[in-house]
Amino acid sequence: VVFEVQWFTEEKLGQAEKTELDAHFENLMSRADCTKNWTEKIYRQTEVLLQPNPSARIEEFLYEKLDRKAPSRITNAELLGQYMQDAAVEFGAGGPYGCTLIKVGECERRLGAAEREFLQTSAISFLTPLRNFLEGDWRTISKERRLLENLRLDLDACKTRLKKAKVAEAKAAMAPDFQETRPRNYVLSASASAAEHELRVAQTEFDRQAEVTRLLLEGISSTHVNHLRCLNEFVEAQAAYYKQCHLHMQDLQKELGRLPNAFTLNSAHSMVTTASAPEEATSPVETDTLKIEEVQAPATGTRKAKVLYDYDAADSSELSLLADELITVYTMPGMDSDWLIGERGNQKGKVPVTYLELLS
């Protein structure tokens, strides 16, 4: 060990010969190092994404090292939903605020359940394969690379010993001592032969270890393929999670739109009051009999609205919407309070209130 450290120091100082690896081998090692470094960063940041709480991450790590199952932890959304429902009981579930708290609380608990499922799926399909590479394959590669480096130091030392033996033998041949020529030349020749044998053995061991290491490094390509598959599964899990959350929120908006004294209904009713004359309000027109092509925008009472989500019209009486676009909306006497008339250029039709953000 001391000799190898000394030899490594001499190499760094340029005082000893160093066996260079071929360019392809160097590229394989560089690619492997790059893979390890970025995999580690992606793994750590994904952990933070899935569990932002450092204390919870440490707790999960300890349970994993102790080979014990971590206790199930309630998500923040589920806890919020529970608080809302408990508050509704205190305030009175029959009132507008209490009723709304119950609806929102139920939605938050559904969102929390969806989040927990997403976390479990992502941990199995994405985090675990990355960790297996870092703690399994990469450790094996690092071990074999260290062994190869040690054998390279041995090989370089053997080359230097042989070189010194050859130089000593050549000097002895050039300036022989006639009284001791035969014994000393014999010793020097034997020393050179031993050095050559050691070099052949060291070269064989180095070549064998280089081939083993090369095969492991070439396996990084298979690692990339495996991680690509895991990455696609992670994206699918994320997309399914966000889609499920979006659907839960859409359902919640629709439910809130049906509740009495809800904010969106108040906005719609205020538009009805502004846009309709008193005598019109006393003779409502059924929505089913409303002909869109005959509807005319009132002189007052129209408002701008921002579309929150895409909406596909169910029939010719409705107007399809694109998220983030601005349209003009107004109501007509007798319309269902969940709907407004929307206009975009020359197009008009019924639009759902829950898909809109009414602007002042």
Side-chain angles (χ1 to χ4, degrees):
V1 175
V2 175
F3 178 78
E4 288 181 351
V5 171
Q6 179 183 359
W7 193 262
F8 183 77
T9 304
E10 290 181 358
E11 279 188 354
K12 292 299 181 181
L13 297 176
Q15 299 174 354
E17 182 180 357
K18 179 180 179 180
T19 300
E20 298 291 342
L21 299 168
D22 61 79
H24 176 62
F25 199 99
E26 293 286 355
N27 288 336
L28 288 176
M29 289 199 297
S30 176
R31 186 164 180 253
D33 290 334
C34 184
T35 300
K36 182 261 181 182
N37 292 335
W38 283 111
T39 299
E40 196 167 47
K41 290 180 179 179
I42 292 172
Y43 174 79
R44 298 302 177 198
Q45 193 56 38
T46 304
E47 276 191 321
V48 173
L49 172 68
L50 299 180
Q51 179 50 268
N53 187 338
S55 299
R57 290 202 303 273
I58 293 174
E59 181 183 348
E60 291 173 357
F61 174 78
L62 293 176
Y63 272 104
E64 181 182 344
K65 291 303 179 183
L66 295 172
D67 198 20
R68 294 174 58 186
K69 184 178 180 181
S72 180
R73 184 182 290 107
I74 188 172
T75 64
N76 291 328
E78 289 176 307
L79 185 59
L80 175 60
Q82 183 62 54
Y83 286 166
M84 287 182 171
Q85 291 180 324
D86 292 345
V89 174
E90 293 287 335
F91 298 149
Y97 185 37
C99 185
T100 303
L101 278 173
I102 289 178
K103 294 295 184 183
V104 177
E106 290 175 351
C107 181
E108 291 296 335
R109 297 184 73 166
R110 288 195 294 268
L111 291 174
E115 179 186 1
R116 188 167 59 251
E117 182 180 354
F118 164 64
L119 297 180
Q120 293 173 349
T121 302
S122 299
I124 295 173
S125 63
F126 190 57
L127 277 183
T128 299
L130 297 186
R131 184 174 63 248
N132 288 342
F133 166 73
L134 293 171
E135 297 181 355
D137 295 348
W138 180 253
R139 287 186 179 179
T140 301
I141 291 174
S142 299
K143 176 184 175 182
E144 297 300 330
R145 284 176 64 176
R146 287 194 298 269
L147 181 56
L148 177 65
E149 180 65 16
N150 292 336
L151 291 175
R152 183 188 67 79
L153 293 174
D154 291 344
L155 176 62
D156 293 341
C158 289
K159 289 180 179 179
T160 300
R161 283 197 293 269
L162 177 60
K163 185 176 180 180
K164 289 180 178 179
K166 291 289 186 181
V167 170
E169 187 177 17
K171 286 182 179 180
M174 292 177 62
D177 185 342
F178 292 103
Q179 295 180 355
E180 299 181 2
T181 296
R182 184 175 300 172
R184 189 173 64 174
N185 287 348
Y186 176 79
V187 171
L188 292 175
S189 178
S191 177
S193 298
E196 288 179 349
H197 175 72
E198 289 179 358
L199 177 60
R200 285 193 297 271
V201 173
Q203 185 70 58
T204 299
E205 292 180 350
F206 174 79
D207 291 342
R208 184 186 301 114
Q209 183 59 33
E211 183 62 23
V212 171
T213 308
R214 183 193 303 274
L215 292 174
L216 289 173
L217 293 174
E218 289 175 346
I220 291 294
S221 296
S222 299
T223 299
H224 285 192
V225 173
N226 182 42
H227 289 181
L228 173 60
R229 178 183 57 80
C230 297
L231 181 60
N232 283 322
E233 292 180 2
F234 177 64
V235 171
E236 290 296 326
Q238 234 178 351
Y241 166 60
Y242 288 125
K243 181 180 180 181
Q244 193 172 6
C245 291
H246 179 61
L247 293 175
H248 287 325
M249 294 308 299
Q250 281 185 315
D251 292 340
L252 175 62
Q253 286 185 311
K254 291 177 181 178
E255 288 186 21
L256 294 183
R258 299 188 189 101
L259 294 178
N261 300 320
F263 176 76
T264 52
L265 292 186
N266 284 339
S267 300
H269 285 314
S270 65
M271 294 179 63
V272 172
T273 304
T274 305
S276 306
E279 61 271 20
E280 293 174 330
T282 57
S283 57
V285 180
E286 294 295 329
T287 305
D288 294 339
T289 63
L290 187 65
K291 296 183 179 180
I292 295 300
E293 61 275 7
E294 297 178 0
V295 171
Q296 297 295 326
T300 59
T302 60
R303 294 178 67 176
K304 290 292 184 181
K306 179 182 178 181
V307 178
L308 299 176
Y309 318 104
D310 292 347
Y311 177 75
D312 295 326
D315 53 48
S316 59
S317 68
E318 297 180 5
L319 180 66
S320 294
L321 303 174
L322 294 176
D324 296 328
E325 69 173 334
L326 294 178
I327 62 173
T328 301
V329 294
Y330 52 89
T331 188
M332 297 299 295
M335 281 189 64
D336 186 334
S337 56
D338 288 343
W339 296 80
L340 293 171
I341 301 296
E343 288 191 0
R344 180 180 56 236
N346 295 328
Q347 297 177 315
K348 60 183 174 181
K350 294 188 298 180
V351 293
V353 174
T354 53
Y355 281 68
L356 305 175
E357 177 185 352
L358 299 178
L359 306 177
S360 57

